[in-house]
Amino acid sequence: MKIKLYGSLRQKAGAAEHETTGTTVHEALANLCTYHDALRTAIFDGAALRAHVRVMVNGHDCELADGLETAVSANDQIAIFPPIAGG
Amino acid sequence: MQGWAGKILDINLTSGSIETLPLDMEMARLFLGGRGLGARLLWDLVGPEVHPLSPENALIFTTGPITASASQTSNRFNVSTKSPLTDTILHANSGGWWGMQFKRTGYDVLIVRGKAAAPVLIEITADGVVIKDAADLWGKTVFETTEALGQSRNKRNVLCIGPAGENQVRIAAIMNDKERALARGGAGAVMGSKNLKAIVVEGKEKNQPADQDQFKFLLYETGKLLKASPLTSQALPEFGTAVVMNVVNEIGALPTRNFQQSQFESADKISGEEITDSILVKNQACWACPITCTRITKTKSGKEGEGPEFESAWAFGAQCGVDDLDVITEANYLCNDMGLDTISMGNTIGCAMELSEKGLLPGDLGFGQADKLLDLIHATAYRQGIGDELAEGSYRMAAKHNAPELSMSVKKLEMPAYDPRGMQGQGLVFATGNRGACHETGNMLGPEVLALPRLIDRFATQGKAGIVSVHQNSAAVIDSLVYCKFANMAVAEEFFARTLTAVTGVPFTADDLMVIGERVWTLERLYNLREGFTKEDDTLPSRLLNEPVAAGPSEGFTVKLAPMLQEYYAFRGWDKNGVPKPEKLKELGLDSLISNQ
């Protein structure tokens, strides 16, 4: 599945878009971090998401689904945002 | 001075009189300053019989008790007037340096009334206050005027209008410090109607806190909080406000092509990330601000200036179907130089593009025509050709062509960069905005998208009224102190209250501040009711209420406004017609205003 990175996460991973696999958000993110270790500390605080990091599945925040255990499949699109503010 | 200087400078341009009046300290305690004090003074000075562009309207520039104290972000100031765009109460605030410098002249408030016989400027220095001839400046742009009057960041600061204000364009801004804007609602046109080109300030007085030790402690603690938050120490400095472009697009709430779609396929090309990668020269801060969110940018043609901010990048980008960041950036520069509100300008051009594509407006204007933007902005500022229609704002322009429903505005103020079909609470904020559709008076981006302070369901309607009301009250009191709302992302109201107490010597709690916020919001509501506005004006464009989003994460949604509005009136202690009940007015200390009518 496609994972899109935003803000400072792009610099840490060297690109804005990546392909990865997994059956849950957590698996997909963990697989991504395997190849881009700098992302791990930017996204995770231990086993949980770091404060203010938002993860969307097809435009919907996974916190309002099953969090990191939200089920995903190959056709889903995940977007990860580091802490951002503005407006 | 300790918080308040205790003085109002009252200038009548018709008679040329210059008076110093005492600030009513009880009024100051109840409304603080900025937006709140501006609303309270406007209530007394400008009644429903006054046309916004007549000499009887007043421009009320207000600082807050913390302004110029050196507390982080204590640089902002406010202008209050009756809007020529909306006919509602108008407040607009700006950062930079001018507000700090005006406070240092020893006044809390500047009231400008009447109309000069010929163009003038006002100069306020330690040597006194003078009204000067400004015939040689009339016709000059904002950048030319600012330079001609000797702008100097920490010593001498210039506030002025450009050609748009002179020509009483209804979406004209008042500009300060060259590229900062009191942007929304057409305050620039009011200044132009008074033949007032500029206000120059040089101050020497200091806002010295009553409790120096406590103030220094709070300065230190606030600095730590701003540094500890990744929002204020990393996100805003690194990518600026436009970093939210992609997240708003991702969730399907980025208005595109005059709100016909809610996702822009080229959002990334106009985002904060792209600005940082391709045109950023450096970031910059307002006075006493460690956040440094301002972007200094340079386009491929070598032009350099401030911005664009998120709203401006959206207005000339997604709203117009344009993804050329260089053109968008130069459109932003041009609006600053002409003295135009970028949100209303871009939104109105997007409306014109749809009118034209639908055959309702003569010509071949269409979405994506980046090459037309600069000419349209210039024509608007000088009211030339089609620009004369754009200068009236989107509602009057669309209504003239028998399609007012294509104006994406509330109370005639153009909507900012959120499609409320994907953010229901934001829809309630826009519908109930006292100055019209506005994201600065209770933005729900925090709770509905960024999980600040915590995430709520953006599609839900039940329970939104209370959250919206609290956000509106909070914004109203921050605008009255006057702080920057970005500081509030790391620093809670409790800290603002403690700092206010340290500066003024008058005890305030966080709860006191929220009551003041509610008082300000309710007074603004009373003002609009007195002007003849009703609950029928608390609405949204029919597109947002009746046309479901066609595709993307918000597909199928319209704004379910009616149930939220009912809940909102009840939560606020207003009757079913949106009129504050007598007991609510008594609770807020506003009952005497109504009984004196």
Side-chain angles (χ1 to χ4, degrees), chain B residues 281 297-305 326 330 333:
Chain B
V281 176
T297 54
K298 189 174 187 177
T299 63
K300 290 188 189 77
S301 65
K303 291 181 180 168
E304 192 169 321
D326 262 17
E330 290 185 8
Y333 296 163

Side-chain angles (χ1 to χ4, degrees), chain B residues 223-239:
Chain B
K224 278 203 306 187
L225 289 169
L226 291 168
K227 198 171 180 181
S229 167
L231 305 174
T232 48
S233 67
Q234 294 169 30
L236 284 167
E238 196 168 352
F239 295 106

Side-chain angles (χ1 to χ4, degrees), chain B residues 568-586:
Chain B
Y568 176 85
Y569 291 159
F571 186 90
R572 280 206 170 277
W574 300 355
D575 68 20
K576 60 183 173 50
N577 291 316
V579 178
K581 293 178 180 174
E583 54 268 34
K584 174 55 72 177
L585 296 181
K586 190 170 183 184

